[in-house]
Amino acid sequence: MSAATRQLNVTVPDIGDFGAVPVIEILVSVGDTVVLEDPLITLESDKATMDVPSPAAGTVTAIHVKVGDKVSEGTLIVDLETTGEEEDPAQTPPAPAGGVPAASPAPADGAPVPPAEIVAQRASQSALATATDVTTRVDESAQANGTPAQPPRADRETGNTPASEDANRLEPVYASPSVRRIARELGVDLHRLHGTGRKGRLTPEDVRSAHAQEASVGAPNGVSGTDLNLAPWPTVDFEMFGETERVQRTRIQRISALNLARNWVVIPHVTQNDEADITELEAWRAQLNAEHSADGVKFTVLTFLIAASVATLKAFPTFNSSLDGEELVLKHYFNIGFATDTPNGLVVPVIRGADGKGLVQIARELGELSAKAREGKLSRDEMSSGTFSISSLGGIGGTSFTPIINAPEVAILGVTRAAIKPVWSEAQQSFTPRLMLPLSLSYDHRVIDGASAARFVVHLATVLGDLRRVLL
Ligand code: CAO
């Protein structure tokens, strides 16, 4: 394996008899990391829907097509910077000049088959044999040969809460345009279905029965998309009113959007606002930063919030739980996620076992994980298994906001900018200037009632006011 990077121009492979096929979806954005065979774009002719797989692992450095463009074999679609590190030499001979996708997993007879051929075979076989549409992906050949398919892209995605459901969303959907059309009409999410057709392909019947089932019993968590009875989304011809610009959203942004919308719609959120007096804490923080200036460890407010949250979660175990059907799962481990703003979108790295870590270690991990997050280098492990999340906008500003709960967690702490305020002192019978930190706790009202939430935040504020209480 060589760590040297090289540029790879990825072109549309041999797609059989099809030419000038419209691009219906761009599945990657510049800056995305992909592995071998990740779908890059989707093409849809009137006969077939085809994902063009990545010929190698790497980072997308340019995208040369947009939705609606018509492409044919050899059209340049994407530039990749590859290191060769994720290429399996047994499965992936070097891509020839011109960027034609390299070989796919070997079939049973051991001879490697280039994906271009597989794509062409599948598309033309299907078009000829069944005259129906087909989604072609090299995964099919891997599955047919008993070799494991690629893990879902979410594994490498630095997206928000890549739960298995989200991973499903990133798997290719094996459905014809007509099945997709039925799904669109009925409002059925194809990513949730298991196809009963040949090689797991989704059939019209799969979609119709899923729709009937959703309508009768409702979706998980008691919410059915069809039951919401929402008005159609407004359609506006923006260009009629002036010049516009269309910008591709990153995969992280698109995945986050799906998660946030689901969590907002399914979970009844209530946000409890309060303030913590962190005057003493701030003085101690400054002292610690001075003491550790040579170690490269920076103690931000978030470091203390994590420690104080763990102490508070221990006192209020319901906040460190998840709903599982009729049961509540109380977790005896404390994995604290923190929302991180990155150029590609919002991600939530997790400090695992935060209860067993001291402030220095938490501060160090915060620095390391947020740096990795911004570079898009977080692993799935580093973003999973959170039990409680913190979203700190304190470095930017604000006085309160409503953070959205990171399902399946049941609460999230939002933090905004600390400010010096006059606080009445009974002892001194006067107002004294105190540094007050605004706290906004959103909680799942199905699990937590308002009084508990108010007590939780008061307790948290008390701990932040005197961090010795962490030791209690
Ligand atoms: N009040 C006052 N100052 C604060 C503060 C607060 N609540 N929180 C942070 N600050 C200060 C820090 O102390 C630091 O100042 P100094 O350099 O003088 O010490 C400065 O603001 C920058 O801090 P930071 O935000 O970089 O560091 P952090 O550890 O507090 O936060 C991180 C790290 C990763 C959470 C943050 O960078 C980030 O990405 N925040 C955005 C999270 C987000 O997008 N949330 C919304 C999600 S929902 O849409």
Side-chain angles (χ1 to χ4, degrees):
M1 283 203 289
S2 157
T5 58
R6 64 191 174 95
Q7 282 294 329
L8 190 62
N9 306 120
V10 183
T11 59
V12 175
D14 177 355
I15 49 175
D17 294 332
F18 304 113
V21 184
V23 177
I24 59 160
E25 201 171 2
I26 309 283
L27 302 164
V28 289
S29 303
V30 170
D32 278 357
T33 52
V34 293
V35 298
L36 178 69
E37 296 176 12
D38 267 344
L40 299 172
I41 63 171
T42 305
L43 312 178
E44 189 174 89
S45 74
D46 51 355
K47 292 281 184 210
T49 301
M50 295 162 275
D51 285 343
V52 176
S54 177
T59 304
V60 177
T61 54
I63 297 171
H64 297 284
V65 288
K66 57 185 186 312
V67 170
D69 282 356
K70 295 198 169 154
V71 297
S72 305
E73 181 184 357
T75 304
L76 177 62
I77 51 173
V78 159
D79 289 347
L80 273 186
E81 186 177 85
T82 71
T83 61
E85 284 178 353
E86 276 190 56
E87 294 179 42
D88 181 347
Q91 298 183 342
T92 316
V100 175
S104 67
D109 64 10
V113 177
E117 283 176 37
I118 293 167
V119 168
Q121 279 168 15
R122 295 269 153 76
S124 53
Q125 275 167 10
S126 178
L128 289 172
T130 64
T132 57
D133 311 303
V134 56
T135 296
T136 47
R137 271 223 56 199
V138 186
D139 298 38
E140 286 190 5
S141 100
Q143 282 156 8
N145 297 323
T147 48
Q150 283 291 318
R153 272 205 61 173
D155 286 6
R156 287 97 50 208
E157 190 67 51
T158 50
N160 189 9
T161 59
S164 57
E165 193 178 314
D166 308 321
N168 285 347
R169 192 165 287 289
L170 295 169
E171 289 284 15
V173 169
Y174 297 97
S176 66
S178 55
V179 169
R180 288 168 192 267
R181 191 171 55 247
I182 296 168
R184 270 196 299 275
E185 282 165 10
L186 297 178
V188 172
D189 181 357
L190 290 179
H191 290 89
R192 290 196 291 104
L193 307 191
H194 296 285
T196 58
R198 197 172 64 87
K199 290 188 181 171
R201 186 157 292 129
L202 289 161
T203 65
E205 201 36 53
D206 292 331
V207 179
R208 290 196 182 100
S209 60
H211 175 249
Q213 205 180 345
E214 279 182 14
S216 62
V217 299
N221 294 301
V223 173
S224 160
T226 50
D227 287 344
L228 289 174
N229 198 21
L230 300 173
W233 195 260
T235 50
V236 177
D237 185 358
F238 302 108
E239 284 74 16
M240 262 184 65
F241 304 105
E243 206 175 302
T244 62
E245 184 187 350
R246 291 190 180 252
V247 179
Q248 285 293 327
R249 281 159 54 80
T250 66
R251 287 180 72 79
I252 292 177
Q253 286 167 337
R254 285 182 283 147
I255 293 166
S256 294
L258 292 168
N259 288 324
L260 291 167
R262 176 200 57 202
N263 299 348
W264 185 249
V265 168
V266 172
I267 302 172
H269 281 68
V270 179
T271 304
Q272 176 73 17
N273 294 301
D274 210 331
E275 286 178 323
D277 184 338
I278 58 164
T279 315
E280 273 80 38
L281 177 62
E282 185 58 16
W284 189 40
R285 187 176 82 86
Q287 185 192 329
L288 283 175
N289 273 329
E291 286 169 16
H292 288 267
S293 58
D295 317 343
V297 178
K298 188 176 171 194
F299 295 84
T300 59
V301 180
L302 192 52
T303 313
F304 303 93
L305 282 163
I306 290 173
S309 294
V310 169
T312 312
L313 290 167
K314 283 181 175 171
F316 296 83
T318 312
F319 290 74
N320 201 49
S321 73
S322 287
L323 265 182
D324 187 10
E326 297 300 307
E327 291 180 335
L328 196 62
V329 183
L330 298 169
K331 293 159 213 165
H332 295 161
Y333 50 90
F334 299 86
N335 296 346
I336 311 298
F338 60 100
T340 306
D341 184 29
T342 80
N344 285 329
L346 177 70
V347 294
V348 187
V350 173
I351 300 211
R352 288 193 181 189
D355 52 322
K357 291 177 178 166
L359 288 171
V360 175
Q361 196 174 349
I362 292 175
R364 188 170 279 129
E365 283 190 30
L366 267 177
E368 289 166 0
L369 286 171
S370 43
K372 270 176 116 174
R374 293 197 178 97
E375 291 161 13
K377 290 185 178 162
L378 286 174
S379 69
R380 182 175 188 174
D381 264 8
E382 287 166 325
M383 291 183 292
S384 60
S385 77
T387 61
F388 180 80
S389 297
I390 302 179
S391 178
S392 172
L393 294 172
I396 304 168
T399 54
S400 75
F401 71 110
T402 304
I404 297 182
I405 296 163
N406 195 6
E409 296 164 23
V410 295
I412 180 170
L413 178 69
V415 183
T416 42
R417 195 158 188 80
I420 293 178
K421 292 186 176 178
V423 175
W424 180 253
S425 162
E426 277 296 330
Q428 296 169 20
Q429 286 294 295
S430 64
F431 285 100
T432 53
R434 307 292 296 175
L435 185 63
M436 304 303 289
L437 178 70
L439 306 171
S440 304
L441 179 88
S442 290
Y443 58 94
D444 183 338
H445 210 348
R446 296 173 302 176
V447 178
I448 294 160
D449 57 32
S452 299
R455 287 190 197 103
F456 181 96
V457 187
V458 167
H459 188 98
L460 178 65
T462 310
V463 174
L464 287 166
D466 181 358
L467 220 67
R468 289 173 304 182
R469 290 176 185 279
V470 165
L471 302 171
L472 291 176

